[in-house]
Amino acid sequence: MNEEIFKEDLSISYLRAVAAKAEIDFNLNRRDSESRDVNLSKVITFDNGEFNAELNVQLKATSSISQYKDTGDNIVYKLKAKNYNDLCRITTTPIIICLLILPENKEEWITQTTEDLTLKRCMYWCSLRGMPPTNNLNTCDITIPKANVINAETLDWLLNKIANNGGEL
């Protein structure tokens, strides 16, 4: 298997598992022309009714320290300029980028025993909505706070925020 496809599969698996834990619907998009790999949705119940909260996700994964830098509080990632500009657009359904950081050694990415299935490292998220587009032709550095860890509580919080703000993140 191509290493890039392996990384993509791991990022999908990571987000799918976390969404399942949060009881959030996970729909993988067949086409990714608009930088939307996944749509997450959940019906949020309020005192005055229900709201179907939706969130689109652009997934990325890297193990290469040439693609990112850990500054302590942030991850600075080299995102393709096309993806950056797609993610900056104002859309009717909010979109975030989720970046899975994997160990450099491919053998450490995933381990399995009869007791555990372990995927090493962490996925982080950020929204680029409303940022100015780039004129760069290849890549654009983005800063993702390391506090923005993707877990079940975070996904639930994001969808509740969208529901509370009438579809805005």
Side-chain angles (χ1 to χ4, degrees), residues 22-160:
E23 299 180 3
I24 292 170
D25 289 336
F26 178 101
N27 293 295
L28 186 62
N29 293 323
R30 287 185 38 204
R31 292 193 182 92
D32 178 21
S33 61
E34 299 292 321
S35 300
R36 292 179 213 136
D37 294 309
V38 172
N39 176 270
L40 302 173
S41 64
K42 185 174 185 175
V43 174
I44 309 293
T45 303
F46 296 109
D47 291 339
N48 61 349
E50 295 180 333
F51 187 92
N52 186 36
E54 290 190 37
L55 176 64
N56 287 320
V57 179
Q58 169 69 53
L59 289 170
K60 295 292 180 188
T62 188
S63 62
S64 172
I65 56 173
S66 67
Q67 289 297 115
Y68 78 97
K69 180 179 177 184
D70 185 333
T71 67
D73 291 335
N74 299 300
I75 300 289
V76 178
Y77 176 67
K78 294 181 185 308
L79 181 64
K80 289 180 183 174
K82 187 252 190 252
N83 294 129
Y84 175 85
N85 286 332
D86 286 348
L87 296 172
C88 290
R89 271 192 233 126
I90 305 298
T91 59
T92 55
T93 301
I95 185 167
I96 61 172
I97 182 169
C98 289
L99 173 65
L100 176 62
I101 303 291
L102 295 163
E104 284 186 83
N105 181 354
K106 182 179 175 180
E107 299 304 314
E108 296 176 23
W109 293 355
I110 191 165
T111 56
Q112 180 182 0
T113 69
T114 56
E115 298 294 319
D116 294 303
L117 175 63
T118 304
L119 176 60
K120 291 282 181 135
R121 296 280 174 94
C122 194
M123 182 178 275
Y124 304 94
W125 73 274
C126 79
S127 172
L128 300 175
R129 181 184 172 104
M131 297 292 291
T134 184
N135 293 323
N136 294 1
L137 299 177
N138 296 318
T139 64
C140 179
D141 285 352
I142 63 168
T143 300
I144 304 173
K146 285 176 66 178
N148 290 4
V149 172
I150 286 292
N151 57 37
E153 294 77 20
T154 299
L155 290 182
D156 199 53
W157 175 80
L158 285 166
L159 288 169
N160 272 283

